[in-house]
Amino acid sequence: MRNQPFHPATLAAQGLGWTDPTTGAVVMPIQPATTYIRDADNQYRRGRNYARADNPGYDQPQALLTALEGGAASLVFASGMAAATTVFRALPLGAHVVAPRIMYHSLRRWIAAYAADGHLAADFVDTTSLDALAAAVVPGRTRLVWVETPANPLWSITDIAGTAEIAHRVGALLAVDSTAASPVLTRPIELGADLVMHSATKYLNGHSDVIAGSLTTARDDEFWQRLVAGRSSGGAILGSLEAYLLLRGMRTLYLRVERACRSAQRIAEALAENPHVAAVLYPGLPSHPGHAAAARQMTGGFGGMLSIRVAGGEAAAIATAARVELWKRATSLGGVESLVEHRASIEGAGTPVPADLLRLSVGIEDPDDLIADLAQALPA
Ligand SMILES: *Cc1c(COP(=O)(O)O)cnc(C)c1O
């Protein structure tokens, strides 16, 4: 008998080893049914009645995520935004939340608008500073500290263990948007987080063909049951085909992330030498302000995301994005194809993102091709 647990990469590759009990198939079937038969004595002994609450196609990706994150339970959602907003909507009216000043922009905007409508009180702080976090939380009032690490699009690093201590001291939950790290590089629950959120659209699925989100909890408690009910009643559910595609993507998660990390490190080092690049923002470079914190809490690499500031300013940055031939000019991240984006253009007026910044999502192509394409595209 085997008494050592399998490594996460093994669990992912085999999707926990599940096979279809009726056919022996090595992949589980897609079940499109919206409704389930009630037993003659009026019970639902098989545990399912309607597919807005639950779908057998969620079982395997949720169980795999729970195993990879080291949590107690997981939920998949129709998008990362659906997963994240379900957490904020589950808080009591008027609760105080602390969130990062630099974070995924659509969620920052949603939190600000939700707070402005009177549902919550929100403070946006520099979460890379534990002192700023400690000053922002209010004992008995702060119910949630939300962080993102590495955070869009400066790839700033928040110390998860230090933040968990600060949140728990005042009775708040810590939720971590771990989209950019993926469970391959960071396991926030082991560092003290209560909830982990992913835009599964990104690394978990990895093929730019599914919008999905997820939450994983450290404990199956009353707040988690509010999130379970919130998905069902809120209705932001993942389709059966998308759940299947998400699992298929997750089976190659480790290969893809390991390759993207290795390439991103090489690309960051090459760009740091390029005279047309004013700064390279990548936690894997010792020059990055979050390098030491990242080295403590990330294992196996610093991620596939980096940004550069182009020496010639905004116009030069946009011109560089126009000249790439291999990199795709598009938003999003975490797919097998490499993407470049002038980030301020998509975030719009009021963005804290520098106008000369290009965000790079490194895919799994040969890194030499990616480096050569950027070299020819940067202003001569
Ligand atoms: C994309 C993204 C989201 C939003 O996820 P969707 O799947 O697009 O709804 C949230 N956080 C981060 C860090 C993201 O990159």
Side-chain angles (χ1 to χ4, degrees):
M1 261 304 275
R2 196 188 152 77
N3 53 19
Q4 285 291 102
F6 288 116
H7 292 89
T10 302
L11 300 177
Q14 294 207 355
L16 298 174
W18 290 22
T19 56
D20 177 15
T22 59
T23 64
V26 299
V27 296
M28 297 292 278
I30 299 173
Q31 176 49 265
T34 57
T35 191
Y36 292 82
I37 294 288
R38 193 187 266 282
D39 300 327
D41 63 355
N42 217 35
Q43 305 298 303
Y44 275 113
R45 273 193 203 75
R46 280 163 291 197
R48 300 186 199 275
N49 55 34
Y50 188 55
R52 181 157 42 69
D54 194 13
N55 179 322
Y58 298 167
D59 295 355
Q60 197 177 0
Q62 288 177 171
L64 179 56
L65 254 174
T66 301
L68 300 184
E69 291 290 358
S74 299
L75 289 167
V76 291
F77 287 82
S79 66
M81 283 297 288
T85 58
T86 297
V87 176
F88 290 91
R89 288 184 203 279
L91 295 169
L93 184 69
H96 178 240
V97 303
V98 173
R101 202 170 282 156
I102 299 288
M103 64 181 286
Y104 179 70
H105 76 123
S106 294
L107 185 57
R108 183 184 63 221
R109 251 179 228 167
W110 183 89
I111 296 167
Y114 195 61
D117 285 345
H119 299 286
L120 298 173
D123 276 317
F124 295 91
V125 306
D126 175 7
T127 59
T128 66
S129 157
L130 292 179
D131 290 341
L133 273 162
V137 293
V138 186
R141 246 193 93 218
T142 306
R143 302 297 291 263
L144 178 70
V145 176
W146 183 277
V147 302
E148 177 182 330
T149 184
N152 260 290
L154 309 182
W155 315 110
S156 33
I157 303 294
T158 295
D159 176 337
I160 297 172
T163 306
E165 214 181 291
I166 290 166
H168 295 160
R169 213 187 292 147
V170 298
L173 296 173
L174 171 63
V176 177
D177 180 342
S178 196
T179 299
S182 89
V184 179
L185 305 176
T186 308
R187 307 221 311 169
I189 288 171
E190 286 176 355
L191 297 165
D194 302 288
L195 290 168
V196 180
M197 172 254 158
H198 289 283
S199 168
T201 312
K202 315 294 170 51
Y203 288 103
L204 292 179
N205 179 64
H207 293 75
S208 307
D209 56 5
V210 171
I211 300 272
S214 71
L215 294 174
T216 300
T217 184
R219 289 171 309 280
D220 184 354
D221 55 9
E222 194 241 317
F223 189 71
W224 179 251
Q225 287 307 316
R226 283 177 66 79
L227 302 178
V228 172
R231 181 181 72 179
S232 175
S233 58
I237 55 159
L238 195 60
S240 299
L241 176 63
E242 287 72 16
Y244 168 81
L245 287 171
L246 171 59
L247 178 73
R248 189 170 72 164
M250 285 171 68
R251 293 177 72 156
T252 57
L253 176 68
Y254 285 73
L255 280 179
R256 290 184 286 99
V257 170
E258 285 161 13
R259 168 73 166 215
C261 284
R262 270 201 313 277
S263 296
Q265 183 77 39
R266 275 198 51 199
I267 292 167
E269 286 165 7
L271 290 172
E273 303 289 312
N274 189 309
H276 305 297
V277 175
V280 180
L281 309 175
Y282 183 61
L285 294 181
S287 60
H288 190 278
H291 179 67
R296 278 197 304 277
Q297 71 187 18
M298 300 181 82
T299 50
F302 295 91
M305 296 302 301
L306 65 148
S307 295
I308 57 173
R309 299 187 64 175
V310 178
E314 177 172 18
I318 292 171
T320 300
R323 276 194 295 263
V324 291
E325 290 164 6
L326 180 59
W327 294 75
K328 301 286 176 260
R329 243 179 338 275
T331 194
S332 197
L333 62 98
V336 290
E337 63 286 293
S338 294
L339 305 178
V340 57
E341 179 178 41
H342 181 249
R343 192 66 196 159
S345 293
I346 198 148
E347 296 202 7
T351 175
V353 174
D356 57 5
L357 183 141
L358 292 178
R359 186 179 84 171
L360 305 176
S361 171
V362 178
I364 63 169
E365 305 92 337
D366 190 302
D368 288 335
D369 292 336
L370 296 171
I371 290 169
D373 191 35
L374 287 171
Q376 67 78 25
L378 280 158

